[in-house]
Amino acid sequence: MNKQGTVAASAAVCAGLLATGHLADRRRERKPIAATMGIGLGAAYLAGTYLQNLPLFGAVAHPRVAHGDMRFSLTFDDGPDPRHTPAISTLLAERGHRATFFALGRAARAHPALIRQLASDGHEIACHGEDHRLLAFAPPRAIVA
């Protein structure tokens, strides 16, 4: 799933929460209490998903930087991509830099030689999920898979 798909899925979750609340209110012929709750839950879900420093879905890690320490972490997401990954990996390795490449499972299986090159060049390889689908409400077995 690309970024637009993720945003669309997030919007669908929020619309579903609002629609469920609206239907509950209509069924009970009440003021829009459940719909308002749906809006609140949708807003909380979006905030927890897109505001990176909001600990709604778990604790946020904050690095401790020593005085004068100028190091930083370089990460690449959603690869490996045969058009760009080899050149980026080689360039960084030649200059003595290391990065973390967050690979999608389907892309890693499609390009195993690129994963081997990343490891050979000294980079860290991390999992960015199978196909970038929305995992907020996925069952634990889907996360493990």
Side-chain angles (χ1 to χ4, degrees):
M1 180 182 297
N2 61 19
K3 187 178 280 187
Q4 292 82 9
T6 301
V7 171
S10 298
V13 168
C14 292
L17 290 168
L18 175 58
T20 301
H22 178 69
L23 290 173
D25 289 335
R26 285 187 68 191
R27 189 174 304 157
R28 295 186 177 147
E29 297 179 4
R30 294 184 178 174
K31 293 181 181 180
I33 295 170
T36 302
M37 288 175 54
I39 291 170
L41 287 171
Y45 166 74
L46 289 174
T49 300
Y50 292 104
L51 299 177
Q52 61 188 1
N53 288 321
L54 187 67
L56 187 62
F57 296 130
V60 177
H62 295 284
R64 294 182 185 176
V65 179
H67 181 70
D69 189 353
M70 299 299 290
R71 292 182 290 174
F72 66 94
S73 296
L74 184 60
T75 65
F76 294 92
D77 290 0
D78 300 343
D81 184 321
R83 297 170 297 168
H84 308 291
T85 303
I88 292 170
S89 179
T90 300
L91 178 70
L92 290 170
E94 287 173 349
R95 294 179 180 199
H97 302 301
R98 302 292 177 256
T100 301
F101 286 79
F102 285 90
L104 293 173
R106 63 180 163 86
R109 277 191 305 284
H111 308 290
L114 294 181
I115 295 295
R116 286 191 293 277
Q117 178 187 348
L118 292 172
S120 176
D121 286 346
H123 303 296
E124 180 180 24
I125 303 163
C127 180
H128 200 32
E130 175 59 23
D131 56 8
H132 219 286
R133 75 185 114 147
L134 193 62
L135 297 175
F137 295 112
R141 62 180 158 68
I143 305 296
V144 171

